[in-house]
Amino acid sequence: ADQRGQARRAAQAKVGLNLTAFDVQKGMLLDAFRALTTDDTVRTNARALADDLASLGGSAAAADALEALTT
């Protein structure tokens, strides 16, 4: 249910594209994939985002935070 919002945020962060179902039906998915995997800005932004997320502790820290909410 949150796919549209996630796509919009990925596009805003310049780490992804915001394709509609119509775009995919028109065959734009492969071109979009190629654009993402060859664009240096996207690759740089994706690496920076990955580093930021890793510095937060990754999935283990997220699981600990969720567990702390339930105890």
Side-chain angles (χ1 to χ4, degrees):
D2 67 342
Q3 292 174 342
R4 301 292 308 140
Q6 294 295 345
R8 185 177 62 254
R9 285 184 281 284
Q12 288 171 340
K14 295 184 178 28
V15 296
L17 296 174
N18 188 3
L19 298 178
T20 65
F22 184 70
D23 294 335
V24 174
Q25 290 171 348
K26 288 185 0 185
M28 296 176 63
L29 188 58
L30 181 57
D31 289 338
F33 175 78
R34 286 182 179 143
L36 287 176
T37 57
T38 60
D39 186 295
D40 287 335
T41 300
V42 170
R43 290 167 38 165
T44 298
N45 291 339
R47 174 52 49 206
L49 178 60
D51 291 345
D52 286 347
L53 293 174
S55 73
L56 296 173
S59 58
D64 290 343
L66 289 172
E67 185 177 21
L69 290 174
T70 62
T71 58

